[in-house]
Structure formats: C-alpha cells, structure tokens
Amino acid sequence: MLNVNELENRWRKYKIKSYTPYLVISVSLIIIVILLSTLYKSKENSYSKETQTPIKAEPLKEENTHIKIEPVKVEPIKKEVIKENVSKVKNKAVEVIKKEIPLQEQANNSANAVILSPSLNFMANLKHSTISNDRSYNEITTSSKIKHTEKRELKIEKKADIISQQNTPAEIDKIEQKIEKKDSIKIKRQNTQDDISHVLQRFEKNNNPALSLFVAKKYYELGQYGKSYNYALITNEINSNIEISWIIFAKSLVKLDKKKEAVKILKSYISSSHSNQAKILLEDIISGKFI
Amino acid sequence: MKSSIFENSKNIFIDSVSVRDYIQLDRVSTIYQSLKNSVKKPLKMILLYGKPGTGKSMFLTKLHHDLSSSQRVYIYQTPILDESEFFKSLAQDIFNVKYQGELNFTQFMLIVNKDESQDTQVPLVLLDEAQLYSSALMEKIRLLSDTRSVKFVITLRKTEKEDLIAKEHFQTRIWESIELENASATELKIYIQKKLMKANCFDSASMFSQRPVDLIYKITDGNYRDTNKLIYTLFDIYLWYEENNSSNLNRTVVSNKIIEMSAIHTGLINA
C-alpha cells in the first residue's frame, strides 16, 4: 500500500538534495566573485598607495635636504656678514656695501666644494611685485609705449629673420638700416609736422594763444628754436600771463645764444609775475646748468 | 462503482510476460523478424542476449506463441537446474517418454536416437535465463544441439559474468546471436502510448507528452521493465490523489513530481 504523504516528504528531501549542488556551486561562485572583487579593489588601493608614496616622498626628501643644508652652509656667511656689517656701519655705510661683496666672495670660495647658496630670486620677485603694484598711470602708459616699441622690434626681427633666410648678411644689414630709417622718419616727422600744420591752420582762424603755444613747444622739441621763439613771442603778445610761454621764449633765446636777453626777459617777467619756474630757469641759466 | 482511468492504466503496466502485452515497435519488429528467419535456418543454436528488462523473455514467449502452430516448440521460462530433471522434462515434452528414476545425458541420448517420429522438422527448445544453468549442463546442451536432433534458442543476461559464459561455451558454436537493447526516448514514448491505447486508455496515453517521457527515460534509461514498474506506481499515486479529492491533480500531462515520487518508491531514484 502506498503511503503518499511519506513519499511526498521523501520527494521534498530529494528535491532539496538535488538542488544543493547547484546552490553550493552558485553560492561558491558568488563568494569567489566577491572575493575576487575585494582582492582587486585592495590591489588597486595598494597599487595607488605604492604609486602615490614615492611621489610624496621625493619632494619631502628634497625639502629636508634643503632645510638641513641651508642653515649649515648659509649661517656662517650670514654671521660673518652681520659682524662685518655691524663693524662697518659704525664707520661708513658705503664701505659696508663695498666690503660685503668680497666677503661673500670669500665665503663662496671657502664653500667651493659644494656650492649651495640660498636662492634670492624670491626677493627679486617681491621687488617686482611691489614695483608693479606701485606703478603710476604714467608708468603704465610708458610701459605700454615700450610694449609697442617691443612689438615693433619683434616685427622687425621677424622680418629680419625672413630676410636673413633669403639674403646675404651684407644685404640684410642694408635692409635693416633702411627699415630703421624709414620707421623713425615716418613716425616722428610726419606726425609732428602734420600736427603743427594742422594747429597752425586752426591758429590762423581763431588766434588762440594755446595753439600758438603748442606750436612753440613742438618747434622747441624739434630743435627749431627760431620758430619756437617767434611763436612764443606771438603767444606772449596775445596773452602775456602764460608762464610756460615766457619760459619757452627764454629757453629759445638761450638756445639761440642770446643768454643775456633771456636773463633780462626772465627778470622782468619774474618781477611782474613772481613765477617760481621762471626763477628756477633763471638760476639754471645763470649758473650754467641750462645751456 | 465506476472504475477510474488510472486504475485501468495501472493494471496495464503490471510486469508480466504475456504475448498480449507485446508492443510492436519498429526496431523490435525488425529484430523479431530476424530471429524468426534464423529459426528457419539450419542452425544448431541461437543466442538472444541483452540487459535485464530489454524484452528477452517477451521475445521468447512471442516466438513460442507464433511458432507453436506451425512446429514443435518448447519453452522453459524457468531454468531446470537439476540435470536429470532437465533431461527428463525434455524427454517427456519432445519425445513423449516418461522416464522413471535418474536420467543422465547418455540415457537421454539413447531416447533421442530411438525417436521414430516421422516429423522431419527439428524440435525447437527455448531456454530462458540460460545463465543460470551450470557449465556442465550447458556443455551437454551444446553436444545435444550438435546432433541436430534438437535446436536451441537461449537467452542470456548481458553482464560481465554472462559474457564470459557466452565466450566459453557458445562463441564458436553459436551460429547466430541477437542483442536486445533498451528503448530510445522516442521508442519509449511510443511503447507507453501504444500500451495504453491498446487497452483503450486514450486519456492516460495523451498525458504522456515528450517532456514527462524524457524524464521517465532519464530515470529508467529506456528499460522496459523499469518503465513498467515506474508507470504502474505512477498511476497508483494518481489513483491515491484522485481518491483523496486532490484539487491540484493535473490530468492533462503527467506531473514531474509524481514521476519522481514513483521513481523514489520503486527505488529507481535513491532519495
């Protein structure tokens, strides 16, 4: 007689038994995968540590050597310098500066075997930074001008490079001279002449003393002292209270070898206006500083 | 009370050797036909061998059934292990001589030689489970077949031991040997369905689709005897569930669970 209930229990046990190998295999596979992944991660971490440590260690070592070496090598130099400075400051500040250099040289000679000196580049950098911070507007404009000239020089250099590839050195020199001449003539003369002619046209229309003064200044800068004298005189005739016009007038007379007349005019102007600039110029002319 | 389809189906798979239970499969039919042809040939001995449950006994029974109307055929399904009894049975069945006392091989040969029957056809003796006979008796059976007065068809279980016997006693003398094998999965399906349909159990037959048959084949390895045992138990379990009003009983296809339960019960699965 069949006992189906018991048979069902046996069947359940059999099924569990039959599934156990698959379960064991799957569980073991999962464990293996987990282990492998953890191992891989740990290896990755260790590898990253290994790769990172030398990178970190190297600069530290270098820094340490610097720290160790610097005081040993530099300290005696500093002490000597300080001692010498103290003794010299008592006498003369100028002598100290003169004697510091040989002392440093002596120190360097004494440490000829290992030349390790503190880098003072940071001082230069600091100076540059402070100077750059304290720059005035004028300085910035001049620097911009310098940049322009630098650019021009660069362009010329580039041109010269191109030419040098194609021509002989003699030809290159000629071409460079031509370029320099052309650039200087064109820029300076054309601009001032244009300006002066343009201003003169305007002056003829309205007789503005500011315009005649501008022309006088420009001629003075160009070294055409006769013309500068004339336009300064015209300005003074229109308006006799313009200080700079009188000064250019006097300077032009000096340049035209009429020193006495210049002194007379300045004295008369000073008596009427009490101009400080005129006084300074008068002193310079008399003392011979302004020729 | 109306009998269940499972009850009828169960009874079909009772393990018995009956000609009525013989199922004609293509491969089996071919083998059977070759056996019949071999019997007609002037051979002294035919060996039918195979693993237990491959249908050797069924073949022998079928052959006896088919040939008994046309010639003298004697089947010994249970081996007669005593030599005297064996020869006395042969003397009585073949030569109609009822011998009193001990009958040895020499005395039996005298009976054979005295046979005055007018039948030119050599009597056919079918010996099942011949591996159970002693070597001495098998040697005398061989000598008897050499006289051409009796033709033997013997079946042997194909095991290592029986192979050895076959080699020692029959290898040089047997003129024809036929091996029977387990069924394939397809053959097993046909076997089960034909067996059920032969008994008009069509509903049960339709339950055996290829999937459950594959599982049965996996468990029984296509052995007919094991399959019969398994399916008998299977329908027994179905019957139990039916009687206990189990609502989960699937009647469209045989459940794998019940197949495995049957296999556990019959010992085909070691649970």
Side-chain angles (χ1 to χ4, degrees):
Chain A
M1 184 66 189
L2 270 174
N3 187 351
V4 176
N5 292 322
E6 192 227 324
L7 204 58
E8 277 186 335
N9 289 330
R10 283 176 72 191
W11 176 78
R12 280 192 201 99
K13 283 177 186 173
Y14 161 74
K15 290 306 279 184
I16 292 161
K17 217 167 137 183
S18 63
Y19 284 134
T20 43
Y22 298 106
L23 276 166
V24 168
I25 289 162
S26 55
V27 167
S28 57
L29 276 170
I30 290 160
I31 290 163
I32 287 161
V33 166
I34 291 161
L35 280 168
L36 283 170
S37 61
T38 49
L39 276 168
Y40 181 73
K41 279 178 183 175
S42 62
K43 272 189 177 180
E44 268 192 339
N45 290 331
S46 64
Y47 178 73
S48 61
K49 279 175 186 173
E50 280 172 10
T51 51
Q52 282 172 5
T53 46
I55 293 160
K56 284 179 181 175
E58 280 177 7
L60 279 168
K61 281 177 185 174
E62 282 175 12
E63 282 174 8
N64 287 332
T65 51
H66 275 291
I67 291 156
K68 284 175 185 174
I69 292 159
E70 276 181 351
V72 172
K73 300 289 176 186
V74 175
E75 270 182 358
I77 298 160
K78 279 183 177 176
K79 280 176 183 175
E80 284 175 15
V81 171
I82 291 157
K83 281 176 185 176
E84 289 292 324
N85 282 340
V86 168
S87 62
K88 298 290 174 186
V89 162
K90 286 176 182 175
N91 299 323
K92 285 180 182 179
V94 179
E95 285 178 3
V96 171
I97 296 157
K98 284 178 181 175
K99 282 185 181 181
E100 269 183 22
I101 297 155
L103 278 166
Q104 280 178 351
E105 281 173 2
Q106 281 173 8
N108 288 330
N109 289 328
S110 65
N112 269 336
V114 182
I115 301 162
L116 286 167
S117 60
S119 174
L120 298 169
N121 290 332
F122 71 97
M123 291 292 285
N125 291 331
L126 279 167
K127 281 176 185 174
H128 281 296
S129 64
T130 50
I131 289 159
S132 64
N133 288 330
D134 294 331
R135 270 179 185 170
S136 63
Y137 174 73
N138 289 329
E139 283 172 340
I140 292 157
T141 51
T142 50
S143 69
S144 66
K145 281 175 184 174
I146 290 157
K147 280 177 184 176
H148 280 296
T149 51
E150 281 173 359
K151 280 180 182 176
R152 192 181 289 166
E153 281 171 5
L154 281 166
K155 280 177 182 177
I156 292 157
E157 280 175 4
K158 281 177 183 177
K159 281 178 182 177
D161 288 336
I162 294 156
I163 292 154
S164 64
Q165 287 172 1
Q166 295 170 351
N167 301 311
T168 58
E171 286 173 339
I172 291 158
D173 290 332
K174 284 178 183 177
I175 291 155
E176 279 177 348
Q177 283 173 358
K178 281 179 183 176
I179 290 159
E180 283 174 8
K181 281 176 183 176
K182 279 177 183 175
D183 284 344
S184 61
I185 290 159
K186 279 179 182 176
I187 292 160
K188 288 179 181 176
R189 287 185 182 177
Q190 280 180 357
N191 285 338
T192 48
Q193 279 178 347
D194 287 340
D195 289 341
I196 289 161
S197 59
H198 180 71
V199 171
L200 282 170
Q201 281 175 2
R202 285 171 66 192
F203 178 69
E204 282 170 9
K205 287 178 183 174
N206 56 17
N207 278 339
N208 189 338
L211 297 171
S212 59
L213 178 62
F214 174 80
V215 173
K217 276 181 182 177
K218 287 288 171 189
Y219 277 124
Y220 185 80
E221 282 171 9
L222 291 168
Q224 294 178 4
Y225 301 114
K227 286 183 179 178
S228 67
Y229 166 80
N230 289 331
Y231 280 99
L233 185 64
I234 292 160
T235 308
N236 291 337
E237 282 173 1
I238 296 163
N239 188 351
S240 60
N241 295 323
I242 300 167
E243 187 183 41
I244 193 71
S245 177
W246 284 105
I247 285 163
I248 287 165
F249 183 73
K251 280 180 175 180
S252 299
L253 280 168
V254 173
K255 295 288 180 184
L256 292 165
D257 293 324
K258 291 175 181 177
K259 195 177 173 181
K260 287 179 182 177
E261 287 177 17
V263 170
K264 279 181 185 176
I265 288 160
L266 278 172
K267 281 179 179 176
S268 63
Y269 178 66
I270 290 161
S271 62
S272 62
S273 66
H274 305 285
S275 167
N276 289 323
Q277 278 192 353
K279 283 176 184 175
I280 292 161
L281 182 65
L282 182 64
E283 282 175 11
D284 287 342
I285 291 163
I286 292 161
S287 65
K289 284 184 182 177
F290 184 81
I291 303 163
Chain B
M1 188 181 169
K2 191 184 174 182
S3 63
S4 165
I5 55 153
F6 297 126
E7 183 73 43
N8 297 333
S9 303
K10 185 182 91 169
N11 292 332
I12 293 161
F13 289 93
I14 292 169
D15 191 32
S16 63
V17 182
S18 169
V19 179
R20 287 180 293 125
D21 299 332
Y22 177 81
I23 302 299
Q24 200 166 355
L25 300 170
D26 287 346
R27 188 164 59 93
V28 175
S29 299
T30 311
I31 293 166
Y32 181 70
Q33 196 57 48
S34 69
L35 178 65
K36 273 178 87 174
N37 295 336
S38 300
V39 167
K40 287 172 187 172
K41 290 174 191 172
L43 301 170
K44 294 175 188 173
M45 198 177 277
I46 298 159
L47 176 66
L48 198 65
Y49 68 100
K51 287 177 185 173
T54 49
K56 298 182 294 293
S57 301
M58 180 60 81
F59 257 61
L60 224 53
T61 311
K62 174 75 174 160
L63 191 68
H64 177 256
H65 179 263
D66 291 349
L67 296 176
S68 56
S69 58
S70 57
Q71 69 176 90
R72 287 190 293 165
V73 185
Y74 308 97
I75 185 164
Y76 297 91
Q77 288 177 325
T78 309
I80 304 162
L81 299 174
D82 183 73
E83 193 178 310
S84 173
E85 283 297 315
F86 178 73
F87 288 122
K88 277 165 79 174
S89 299
L90 284 181
Q92 191 174 354
D93 292 339
I94 300 166
F95 306 108
N96 205 17
V97 176
K98 198 170 184 180
Y99 196 83
Q100 297 295 324
E102 289 285 314
L103 182 65
N104 57 28
F105 180 65
T106 314
Q107 290 164 332
F108 179 73
M109 286 307 292
L110 287 169
I111 294 165
V112 171
N113 292 331
K114 280 180 187 175
D115 183 34
E116 292 175 350
S117 64
Q118 297 297 314
D119 196 354
T120 53
Q121 219 172 19
V122 179
L124 185 67
V125 176
L126 311 175
L127 297 176
D128 199 8
E129 305 283 0
Q131 76 279 353
L132 295 172
Y133 291 101
S134 66
S135 298
L137 184 57
M138 285 308 299
E139 193 61 24
K140 284 161 189 167
I141 290 166
R142 180 190 66 78
L143 287 169
L144 185 60
S145 66
D146 282 347
T147 61
R148 290 189 183 274
S149 52
V150 181
K151 190 186 279 186
F152 286 94
V153 175
I154 62 169
T155 66
L156 278 175
R157 279 190 182 184
K158 192 190 176 186
T159 59
E160 284 182 15
K161 194 182 171 184
E162 277 90 47
D163 276 352
L164 194 70
I165 293 162
K167 277 178 188 173
E168 284 176 354
H169 299 285
F170 309 110
Q171 199 171 19
T172 55
R173 296 177 179 87
I174 292 163
W175 287 55
E176 186 109 7
S177 64
I178 297 161
E179 186 180 5
L180 292 176
E181 288 176 337
N182 286 335
S184 66
T186 316
E187 285 172 341
L188 199 68
K189 187 186 172 188
I190 295 162
Y191 171 78
I192 295 162
Q193 287 183 337
K194 272 193 171 181
K195 211 167 166 78
L196 285 163
M197 284 192 283
K198 204 172 175 180
N200 296 323
C201 296
F202 299 105
D203 293 335
S204 304
S206 65
M207 286 170 74
F208 288 87
S209 60
Q210 194 61 49
R211 192 181 57 81
V213 171
D214 284 342
L215 181 61
I216 292 166
Y217 177 78
K218 194 181 165 185
I219 294 163
T220 63
D221 197 28
N223 189 280
Y224 294 105
R225 188 174 293 158
D226 289 342
T227 304
N228 289 341
K229 274 165 66 182
L230 181 82
I231 294 171
Y232 177 86
T233 314
L234 182 136
F235 282 119
D236 208 8
I237 294 165
Y238 264 105
L239 201 63
W240 185 89
Y241 278 122
E242 193 180 51
E243 284 169 0
N244 289 279
N245 296 319
S246 178
S247 56
N248 295 327
L249 195 65
N250 186 356
R251 291 167 188 270
T252 53
V253 69
V254 178
S255 156
N256 281 358
K257 180 191 169 184
I258 294 173
I259 291 169
E260 284 167 348
M261 282 169 71
S262 308
I264 291 163
H265 183 72
T266 51
L268 293 166
I269 286 175
N270 187 21

